[in-house]
Amino acid sequence: ESTPRPMPSSQKEPAGKLEMSAAKTKGSYTTRWDTTHLAILAEETDAPWAANPYGYCVSKENFEKICLPNYLLDDPVEFCQAVAHEYAHVISTNIAEEYAPRWVEEAISVLVERQFDRETWQLFCEVHETWLTDRQLESVLTEHTDDESRKEDVWRAYQQAGWIGRYLASRKGEASLGEFLHELANESPAKNIMRTLKGQDRTEGALWHVYGLSKKSLFAYCHSWLRNLKADQV
């Protein structure tokens, strides 16, 4: 196991805002991310057939564990991006109590990682079919991340999720993402009754509560917002 290099401020800021939002929303929060272990995997695991070749985090009984491939040690920038990405998963998983769909977790992790690809942005703007629905996005992120033949599709899915996180942050600030995650975990009887009466699933209810958006409108508005950005804003 290893201690990560200092995280760049551009990645540290949104992660910190998520933590502060959690503290503000929940009052106090002693969670498993208070003890998070970072493991650098053996070089032998850097193989084409390995599952989760870019790193992953896993919940243990009393702590969270981030596992990163050995080759990242050769690139400090990529290493810090990977740590930021996986630590954002730790925060998201704990605040949302594992109720967040994969595309929501990746929306936050890619936002924190701050790795937005201009070529993929142009593709989203020019080819409407590349912009997936929430169900399509969830499917790619949960079923095809280890599929080498779908590598480009998976990259675009991560990028789309990141843009959705960035759009939500642009509406109400990055701290609102913490409120959104907490709302996903809201199990109060009143909230469950309200979601049932409105015919909303958990994600739809949380989006509406924090942003006044449905999943369909979120994806449509984000795509429109994306196409109005200038290249120097990517």
Side-chain angles (χ1 to χ4, degrees):
E1 300 200 353
S2 172
T3 301
R5 295 176 175 88
M7 190 183 299
S9 58
S10 63
Q11 296 164 349
K12 190 184 299 181
E13 182 180 356
K17 286 184 178 179
L18 283 173
E19 288 186 321
M20 287 187 292
S21 175
K24 181 178 179 181
T25 306
K26 301 177 79 171
S28 63
Y29 61 103
T30 301
T31 71
R32 288 177 301 191
W33 87 69
D34 291 331
T35 305
T36 300
H37 298 285
L38 175 62
I40 304 301
L41 301 175
E43 290 186 32
E44 290 77 8
T45 65
D46 293 350
W49 43 261
N52 301 302
Y54 309 112
Y56 59 95
C57 69
V58 59
S59 297
K60 299 294 186 178
E61 185 174 352
N62 296 313
F63 63 93
E64 301 286 350
K65 187 172 185 178
I66 294 172
C67 299
L68 297 177
N70 193 278
Y71 70 82
L72 289 174
L73 294 175
D74 297 330
D75 187 332
V77 173
E78 191 174 359
F79 180 86
C80 286
Q81 288 174 331
V83 171
H85 184 105
E86 297 304 333
Y87 187 64
H89 274 300
V90 171
I91 297 172
S92 299
T93 298
N94 278 275
I95 298 178
E97 298 180 12
E98 302 185 355
Y99 283 116
R102 181 69 178 272
W103 67 262
V104 170
E105 286 210 8
E106 297 302 347
I108 294 169
S109 285
V110 177
L111 172 65
V112 171
E113 184 183 357
R114 300 293 201 206
Q115 186 177 183
F116 290 95
D117 173 38
R118 186 172 294 183
E119 185 177 326
T120 306
W121 164 72
Q122 289 177 326
L123 187 66
F124 287 148
C125 293
E126 296 169 2
V127 184
H128 188 274
E129 292 75 19
T130 60
W131 188 256
L132 305 179
T133 66
D134 64 288
R135 289 185 179 181
Q136 291 171 330
L137 186 58
E138 185 73 4
S139 174
V140 174
L141 292 171
T142 57
E143 298 174 17
H144 301 293
T145 53
D146 295 329
D147 186 346
E148 191 67 21
S149 68
R150 299 286 300 273
K151 193 172 182 178
E152 290 186 7
D153 294 337
V154 171
W155 171 253
R156 286 198 300 269
Y158 275 98
Q159 286 289 293
Q160 179 175 340
W163 280 113
I164 290 169
R166 192 163 162 181
Y167 173 70
L168 291 174
S170 76
R171 286 179 66 100
K172 293 191 67 176
E174 288 169 342
S176 69
L177 295 167
E179 182 184 355
F180 174 45
L181 291 170
H182 175 67
E183 190 63 24
L184 282 167
N186 191 334
E187 274 291 287
S188 69
K191 182 61 62 175
N192 281 325
I193 291 171
M194 185 65 68
R195 284 194 291 251
T196 300
L197 290 175
K198 291 184 176 181
Q200 297 174 328
D201 63 21
R202 190 178 291 272
T203 307
E204 192 101 336
L207 275 172
W208 186 258
H209 177 84
V210 179
Y211 300 102
L213 296 171
S214 65
K215 285 182 287 190
K216 184 176 181 179
S217 62
L218 166 61
F219 278 62
Y221 290 161
C222 179
H223 195 207
S224 178
W225 170 78
L226 200 68
R227 288 179 291 177
N228 287 322
L229 291 178
K230 301 184 185 305
D232 60 3
Q233 295 175 296
V234 175

